[in-house]
Amino acid sequence: MLLLSQLINGLQLGSIYALVALGYSMVYGIIMLLNFAHGDIIMAGGYIAVLILTAGRNPVLAIILAIIGCVLLSVLIEKVAYKPLRSAPRISLLITAIGVSLFLQNMAQLLFTANARSFPNTVVIPAINFRIGSINISLTALVTIVVTIISMICLTLLVQKTKMGKAMRAVSEDTDAAKLMGINVNSTITFTFATGSTLAGIGSILYCCRYPLVSPTMGSLLGLKAFVAAVLGGIGSIPGAMIGGLAIGFAEVLVSAVGLSEWTDAVVFAILIIVLLVKPTGFLGRSMQEKV
Amino acid sequence: MKRILSIILALVLMLALFSACGNKGSKKESDTIKVGLLAPLTGDVAEYGIAVANGVRLYTKELNAKGGINGKTIELVEYDEEGDAAKAVLGYNSLVDQGVVAIIGDVTTGPTVAVVSESQADNTPMITASATAAAVTYNEETGQVYENMFRSCFIDPFQGEKMASFAYEELGAKSAAVLYNNGSDYSLGVANAFIAKAEEIGLEIIATESYADGSQDFQGQLTNIAAKNPDTLFVPDYYNVIALVAQQANAAGITARMLGVDGWDTVLDVVTDASLIEGAYYCSGYSTQDTREEVQTFLEAYKAEYNNEPNMFAAQGYDAAMILYAAIAKADADGKLDNETIISYMKATDMNCVTGHVTFDEFNNPNKTAVIINVSNGGAKYWGNY
């Protein structure tokens, strides 16, 4: 019974990691960039939601604006910081991404101070617990898991069934060939960033409902763990990011469940090292033909 | 022209020298008692230093207005050590050279420890208002107690003991779970003291879980705790962490009453929903809601003097001055204003202060009551002194 409760915890945590890892994986798939600013997009989403909620506005409005804010910010970063470097060596892009991440964190510190703000999570998802036998499930956990599943189904449909999805797959396979086929590579890349940050926006709200404190550096550790999840699943692969996210979530919760809670972060990063040493392509990295 | 200028300059210098001598000569030593105040009045930790200094200055002023010590005025000699241990040692020596009979200070733990070891050579009586580490009055390696060093604040582990007996005796707790930060001396020290005391008095500890410093996720640990179903959950950490723990404890289905320590201060500002910690109790060194006469008089006097609310550091600074001056007064009445006499009277302290009734234990730490704060109806209410 206790194990089942812990598995639900893992599923909730893993869902959030998966949503964030998808953003990493999609962007990597299309322009081979490890977008380390992705975690800080989540922070931005959290602050937008907090500002709207503390102004007493509708939570639905807050969620929608947080997601739109994440998308706009991410597209802006892509246009300003990454697009001019598209033909530059990949290391320049990586360094730029780290720079953008630091910029966003410090900007947030300047605007909102380094003090954490509390996120009125009960306005978004009421603090209701369901009891099934001795298992306790919070509404937050339930909503997180359901929203993540829906998001993933939508994403899969988008990538597999729509014209834009086809373009994304084509660009990730071979940018030059896609260009020759008349695909607008620039808008496809922008669209990929937008899709990734939509998921980040959703992840941001779900994360804040679980951890109701918003601070300028909240995205950095979350971003790193989601990055580990993306690598574990095979970076560049969409189903890989989902599996990787869930695996990291379960790993964390199980480590603390057996009483080694101080070791959770160490275990996550040990997984990264082991994956890179043993199977650098992750679970699904190589076998996936359709990288996005 | 140059020569005239140099003569004038030389004259001015000589004049300055004479006037300096004159100043020193005119002071009547017997009418004043010099007491040193060593505190960071500028720099990173100035916030604490200024609060302590304000408390000390206020009590000094009040006592002097009432006629001082046996008719003698207390002259407070202040030294700003800027939060730096090396400067604090310099400051200590400078104050001793200026002939202070005792020193109030230092404020933060690091510089205080440095000054204490320096003070062993001449045994100057000292009292700190705010350094909470055990090492300030006791050297763990040599087992030596620094006899000349006292403090008016309680040490960290003390809170754990207080809360354990409070839970058992006042709240009727039968079983408790402890969730602590393994990467913080503060949290670890308090948790260990709580567990030791609980075992001693018969409060059953049915779960002990920990987390790494900086963790945000406690769901795994809290789910384990929920399965044991304790009636009390003790979480010794700072308010930011408590906001997260409270949320996740609720999500894990924990209904136990939460207990905390002074790090919980201002927790209601960050917790998303006050109902998550409704019914919780935590201890503190001081509360402005304390109804005791000492506190209310102090509050009024402080507000009149500085035009703002005194925080815990100001109250402890005020108490440090009160404890020290009482000992100096007794020593002076005996006509023996030396280190040993002052120290022995400080050791025998038994008086009501702003932050509680103070006596000292064998480690020169105060045995005093803690202020208990109860979260009820979404607000922090003063429960009483325990």
Side-chain angles (χ1 to χ4, degrees):
Chain A
M1 283 301 114
L2 181 59
L3 184 70
L4 208 56
S5 305
Q6 296 286 22
L7 286 180
I8 291 166
N9 288 335
L11 199 57
Q12 185 191 1
L13 188 59
S15 298
I16 297 172
Y17 286 149
L19 283 174
V20 184
L22 281 169
Y24 270 104
S25 229
M26 289 168 69
V27 167
Y28 183 83
I30 205 152
I31 55 169
M32 309 293 266
L33 160 70
L34 290 174
N35 183 13
F36 277 116
H38 194 61
D40 301 297
I41 300 282
I42 289 173
M43 177 268 296
Y47 269 108
I48 294 169
V50 160
L51 290 180
I52 295 166
L53 286 172
T54 45
R57 297 301 161 98
N58 191 326
V60 177
L61 183 76
I63 294 169
I64 292 170
L65 286 182
I67 294 171
I68 292 175
C70 285
V71 171
L72 290 181
L73 182 64
S74 168
V75 168
L76 181 75
I77 291 168
E78 196 265 327
K79 292 277 181 233
V80 174
Y82 302 151
K83 199 179 165 199
L85 292 171
R86 200 155 291 155
S87 55
R90 278 169 57 195
I91 191 81
S92 311
L93 261 179
L94 183 68
I95 293 168
T96 310
I98 293 171
V100 170
S101 164
L102 290 175
F103 172 78
L104 290 177
Q105 284 177 22
N106 287 291
M107 193 69 184
Q109 215 167 91
L110 206 64
L111 288 175
F112 309 112
T113 77
N115 290 338
R117 290 209 188 178
S118 71
F119 183 91
N121 56 347
T122 44
V123 181
V124 182
I125 304 174
I128 300 172
N129 290 331
F130 301 104
R131 273 203 167 268
I132 304 165
S134 65
I135 304 169
N136 185 78
I137 307 171
S138 68
L139 185 61
T140 314
L142 218 58
V143 170
T144 304
I145 295 164
V146 170
V147 167
T148 305
I149 292 170
I150 294 172
S151 307
M152 287 179 178
I153 292 171
C154 291
L155 180 70
T156 312
L157 289 177
L158 176 82
V159 171
Q160 300 297 339
K161 303 286 178 197
T162 66
K163 209 170 176 184
M164 207 54 186
K166 210 177 219 172
M168 284 161 78
R169 282 182 287 152
V171 172
S172 92
E173 199 118 311
D174 190 329
T175 315
D176 293 327
K179 215 181 270 175
L180 290 173
M181 293 297 125
I183 292 170
N184 186 340
V185 172
N186 276 337
S187 64
T188 308
I189 291 174
T190 307
F191 184 76
T192 309
F193 268 89
T195 314
S197 46
T198 306
L199 297 173
I202 297 168
S204 161
I205 301 289
L206 295 173
Y207 185 80
C208 290
C209 285
R210 185 179 163 115
Y211 310 107
L213 276 187
V214 180
S215 69
T217 51
M218 65 180 269
S220 57
L221 192 61
L222 172 64
L224 279 178
K225 285 183 177 170
F227 166 67
V228 176
V231 171
L232 177 64
I235 194 149
S237 152
I238 288 176
M242 297 176 189
I243 295 169
L246 290 176
I248 294 293
F250 282 128
E252 270 201 16
V253 167
L254 291 181
V255 166
S256 56
V258 297
L260 297 171
S261 44
E262 302 100 76
W263 291 89
T264 45
D265 291 354
V267 166
V268 170
F269 295 113
I271 289 175
L272 175 66
I273 294 169
I274 292 167
V275 169
L276 290 177
L277 284 176
V278 178
K279 197 173 187 304
T281 50
F283 290 148
L284 301 174
R286 193 169 285 160
S287 60
M288 273 299 295
Q289 292 294 312
E290 299 164 341
K291 291 203 299 182
V292 170
Chain B
M1 192 65 203
K2 236 179 194 171
R3 181 172 295 176
I4 297 169
L5 200 70
S6 63
I7 289 172
I8 292 172
L9 267 176
L11 280 173
V12 168
L13 274 177
M14 279 177 77
L15 212 68
L17 206 67
F18 278 126
S19 66
C21 285
N23 251 345
K24 206 167 193 174
S26 73
K27 188 165 290 171
K28 283 178 226 151
E29 299 282 51
S30 55
D31 281 355
T32 58
I33 296 173
K34 281 189 184 176
V35 173
L37 171 60
L38 188 61
L41 301 175
T42 58
D44 289 344
V45 287
E47 196 186 328
Y48 307 130
I50 291 168
V52 168
N54 280 345
V56 173
R57 288 172 191 147
L58 177 65
Y59 187 74
T60 310
K61 193 179 162 188
E62 285 176 5
L63 193 67
N64 282 338
K66 276 189 256 169
I69 291 176
N70 310 326
K72 294 174 190 168
T73 314
I74 293 172
E75 186 191 339
L76 205 55
V77 187
E78 298 184 7
Y79 189 95
D80 175 15
E81 46 85 332
E82 299 166 39
D84 182 276
K87 285 188 183 135
V89 171
L90 279 178
Y92 171 82
N93 288 324
S94 154
L95 290 172
V96 171
D97 289 346
Q98 290 177 62
V100 298
V101 298
I103 293 174
I104 299 172
D106 204 332
V107 171
T108 52
T109 293
T112 310
V113 171
V115 167
V116 168
S117 46
E118 181 74 12
S119 74
Q120 293 312 296
D122 45 33
N123 207 26
T124 305
M126 293 178 68
I127 181 163
T128 173
S130 53
T132 51
V136 166
T137 60
Y138 176 65
N139 185 333
E140 209 167 312
E141 279 161 30
T142 61
Q144 180 202 3
V145 176
Y146 301 124
E147 295 294 345
N148 65 323
M149 188 71 202
F150 296 82
R151 62 177 127 209
S152 61
C153 53
F154 47 53
I155 60 170
D156 298 338
F158 177 81
Q159 303 183 44
E161 293 174 16
K162 276 278 172 199
M163 290 317 287
S165 37
F166 175 75
Y168 185 71
E169 285 166 16
E170 299 293 330
L171 304 176
K174 295 278 176 291
S175 59
V178 181
L179 177 66
Y180 66 94
N181 180 344
N182 200 32
S184 145
D185 285 344
Y186 168 69
S187 186
L188 186 65
V190 176
N192 284 338
F194 181 91
I195 293 167
K197 186 75 182 178
E199 278 165 3
E200 185 193 319
I201 57 179
L203 171 62
E204 197 191 355
I205 303 289
I206 53 175
T208 309
E209 295 279 340
S210 65
Y211 50 89
D213 200 26
S215 290
Q216 295 218 304
D217 188 87
F218 314 98
Q219 203 87 48
Q221 295 93 314
L222 289 167
T223 304
N224 282 348
I225 289 173
K228 305 260 177 66
N229 199 21
D231 60 29
T232 306
L233 172 62
F234 182 58
V235 194
D237 209 336
Y238 290 101
Y239 56 93
N240 280 359
V241 176
I242 304 310
L244 295 172
V245 170
Q247 150 76 16
Q248 292 172 42
N250 176 271
I254 291 179
T255 49
R257 183 201 301 283
M258 285 180 76
L259 293 183
V261 284
D262 63 357
W264 278 45
D265 203 18
T266 69
V267 67
L268 282 166
D269 298 343
V270 291
V271 79
T272 50
D273 187 345
S275 69
L276 292 174
I277 53 168
E278 179 70 27
Y281 288 85
Y282 60 93
C283 64
S284 174
Y286 153 82
S287 162
T288 51
Q289 294 173 31
D290 195 330
T291 47
R292 285 182 304 124
E293 195 196 330
E294 289 90 352
V295 181
Q296 291 307 321
T297 333
F298 165 69
L299 267 175
E300 264 172 46
Y302 193 95
K303 277 184 199 155
E305 183 79 16
Y306 303 107
N307 212 7
N308 61 18
E309 285 242 315
N311 60 15
M312 187 174 81
F313 289 90
Q316 286 169 351
Y318 188 88
D319 281 355
M322 193 189 286
I323 293 164
L324 178 65
Y325 295 168
I328 292 177
K330 285 178 201 154
D332 187 60
D334 288 358
K336 286 192 290 187
L337 205 52
D338 55 51
N339 294 343
E340 285 68 32
T341 318
I342 296 175
I343 290 170
S344 68
Y345 277 119
M346 283 182 84
K347 193 101 187 162
T349 299
D350 189 352
M351 62 195 290
N352 279 322
C353 295
V354 172
T355 60
H357 185 91
V358 174
T359 57
F360 287 104
D361 68 7
E362 69 265 41
F363 298 110
N364 289 357
N365 295 321
N367 273 321
K368 64 176 182 181
T369 49
V371 170
I372 304 285
I373 310 283
N374 175 219
V375 179
S376 76
N377 298 324
K381 303 273 170 352
Y382 168 73
W383 178 84
N385 288 60
Y386 180 78

